Amino acid sequence: MILILICILSLINIGCSKDGESTKTEENKDEISKENNNSKENESKSTFISPLSGVEVKEDLSDKRPVAIMFDNQKDARWQAGLGEAEIAYEFLVEGNITRYMAIYLKNSPDVIGPIRSARPYYLTALLEYDSIYVHCGGSPQAKEEIVSLGIDEVDCMSARGYVFYRNNKVGKKAPHNLYTNMNDIRKYEEEKGFNIKANYEKFSFNDKKEELDGQIANEIQINYAKYNQTSYKYDEELEAYIRYKDGEAHIDESNNKNLTATNIIVQEAETSVLDDQGRLEISTIGQGSGKYFTRGKYININWEKEDKYSKTKYFDEDQNEIKLNPGNTWIQVTPIDPSIKIF
């Protein structure tokens, strides 16, 4: 009897062991399956954030050099091509009470860009914040000297290979307002010249998603640079962005006739004075100053600080907290101190 009981117990243990092994195997399969599924989900969700606009992109742009391009803004040059694809754009005064644009690109590569115009010193102070390659056509004497002394990697129409720039005779503009280029040829020239391909700059801080400001209503903004020089924006709730206007006309991109828009608008007040008898300006963007930040139909008063030519301009709210931008493009409107601005 004892032997019979021992045999029965042994058989039961063997069966239990097999059942346990079978259960563990099934559990392991489930775990491996879950891990594989999670891995596939993570791969499909693998995205990067552009350091210039805070939006999701498919490639890592952290080591890619931004490109800063000078745009002509005289009336005979309008409208511009490729400007709508810039992640950051600046508008500064130049001589003659007109303004000029500098657009900064990283994630986008427009096929047509222009018209291209000349350099000014205060644009250099802005582009150095992004370790940008500088695309322009000539410049003021001071700007050309500083490009050399500051070691800025440039693509200048006066010295670049002939394939980089061309006169666009299809747009009905006369020289000098018809000089164009494209991003592929700029990048090709960048490789040819052996420019450093890794960028070294401090990115903006962005919210994870678009957020409203705890500020005042700003459905329409009018910035008066001069009597006949006005930049304005109107907020579009559906787009969650401001539509841009120049001198009372909708600002469109020449390439596709689409309205230019801005997710973020920064008005940065800077001390402005006439530099020489040619009317060239000195605009001080190093130091401290005040301004305004607009997004999603509201605005707050801000302060800005910049330590030197190479440092990042920091923008702070009235409690001295550094502001976070909403994901999207940004227009930085640099104005004289106490500008004529109307907000509705």
Side-chain angles (χ1 to χ4, degrees):
M1 288 294 293
I2 292 171
L3 289 172
I4 293 170
L5 287 171
I6 291 171
C7 289
I8 292 169
L9 290 172
S10 296
L11 290 171
I12 291 170
N13 286 336
I14 291 169
C16 289
S17 176
K18 287 181 178 178
D19 287 342
E21 288 174 3
S22 176
T23 301
K24 287 180 181 178
T25 301
E26 290 301 318
E27 288 175 354
N28 288 340
K29 284 181 179 178
D30 288 339
E31 287 178 6
I32 292 170
S33 178
K34 285 178 182 178
E35 288 175 2
N36 288 337
N37 288 335
N38 288 336
S39 178
K40 287 178 181 178
E41 286 178 10
N42 289 334
E43 286 177 3
S44 65
K45 292 179 181 178
S46 179
T47 56
F48 302 92
I49 301 298
S50 170
L52 296 189
S53 59
V55 301
E56 288 189 354
V57 290
K58 293 181 180 179
E59 61 177 318
D60 186 358
L61 301 173
S62 58
D63 286 339
K64 191 175 181 181
R65 293 282 297 279
V67 174
I69 302 178
M70 292 297 299
F71 278 87
D72 194 344
N73 187 37
Q74 287 181 280
K75 289 189 176 180
D76 291 339
R78 298 176 187 170
W79 295 108
Q80 299 84 5
L83 186 55
E85 295 188 57
E87 291 180 85
I88 297 173
Y90 286 82
E91 183 171 17
F92 281 92
L93 277 166
V94 291
E95 55 273 14
N97 282 331
I98 62 174
T99 56
R100 193 166 292 176
Y101 305 131
M102 183 176 73
I104 302 179
Y105 300 84
L106 186 60
K107 70 181 183 68
N108 296 325
S109 300
D111 294 327
V112 183
I113 304 171
I116 309 300
R117 204 61 189 205
S118 58
R120 294 293 181 272
Y122 35 90
Y123 285 100
L124 308 182
T125 305
L127 72 88
L128 285 169
E129 297 188 19
Y130 309 95
D131 194 17
S132 300
I133 295 164
Y134 191 33
V135 180
H136 64 101
C137 187
S140 67
Q142 184 183 347
K144 289 190 285 187
E145 289 175 8
E146 289 190 12
I147 288 170
V148 175
S149 64
L150 294 168
I152 293 171
D153 291 332
E154 65 171 339
V155 183
D156 183 358
C157 80
M158 301 294 186
S159 57
R161 294 283 295 275
Y163 67 81
V164 182
F165 298 93
Y166 64 96
R167 293 292 176 186
N168 190 339
N169 296 317
K170 298 178 181 179
V171 292
K173 301 171 186 176
K174 296 180 181 179
H177 309 298
N178 62 351
L179 186 67
Y180 284 69
T181 184
N182 67 82
M183 192 60 70
N184 286 338
D185 285 338
I186 291 169
R187 292 297 187 188
K188 179 181 175 182
Y189 186 74
E190 173 189 0
E191 292 181 9
E192 207 173 279
K193 292 290 288 183
F195 294 153
N196 181 21
I197 61 172
K198 289 189 176 181
N200 180 22
Y201 62 96
E202 185 177 348
K203 66 181 182 179
F204 281 113
S205 296
F206 293 96
N207 295 313
D208 293 331
K209 59 182 181 179
K210 290 182 180 179
E211 297 182 5
E212 280 193 6
L213 291 173
D214 183 15
Q216 301 180 61
I217 297 296
N219 289 319
E220 186 172 349
I221 310 155
Q222 294 179 359
I223 305 168
N224 298 298
Y225 279 98
K227 186 175 181 180
Y228 299 107
N229 184 353
Q230 182 189 87
T231 298
S232 56
Y233 296 90
K234 293 181 181 178
Y235 185 64
D236 187 301
E237 288 188 7
E238 187 175 344
L239 294 175
E240 294 187 329
Y242 286 92
I243 298 175
R244 194 174 200 275
Y245 295 80
K246 189 63 190 177
D247 298 332
E249 296 183 56
H251 193 165
I252 61 172
D253 193 301
E254 183 180 59
S255 296
N256 53 26
N257 290 322
K258 290 184 178 179
N259 289 325
L260 266 63
T261 62
T263 299
N264 307 291
I265 303 164
I266 293 173
V267 172
Q268 180 178 343
E269 299 180 27
E271 188 174 340
T272 303
S273 57
V274 178
L275 186 64
D276 58 24
D277 57 7
Q278 299 295 315
R280 297 188 183 99
L281 303 176
E282 181 175 9
I283 301 178
S284 302
T285 54
I286 298 172
Q288 300 178 339
S290 58
K292 290 176 171 51
Y293 170 48
F294 301 81
T295 190
R296 297 199 68 182
K298 291 186 177 181
Y299 81 97
I300 58 173
N301 294 315
I302 61 170
N303 299 304
W304 61 267
E305 294 179 6
K306 180 175 170 66
E307 293 182 3
D308 54 46
K309 281 184 178 291
Y310 295 93
S311 62
K312 184 73 175 173
T313 302
K314 301 286 183 70
Y315 300 98
F316 303 91
D317 64 23
E318 291 183 305
D319 294 323
Q320 282 305 297
N321 300 309
E322 188 172 356
I323 66 170
K324 285 189 174 184
L325 301 177
N326 276 331
N329 70 323
T330 300
W331 272 84
I332 300 175
Q333 304 286 156
V334 181
T335 70
I337 294 173
D338 295 325
S340 173
I341 297 180
K342 296 180 181 178
I343 302 170
F344 306 94

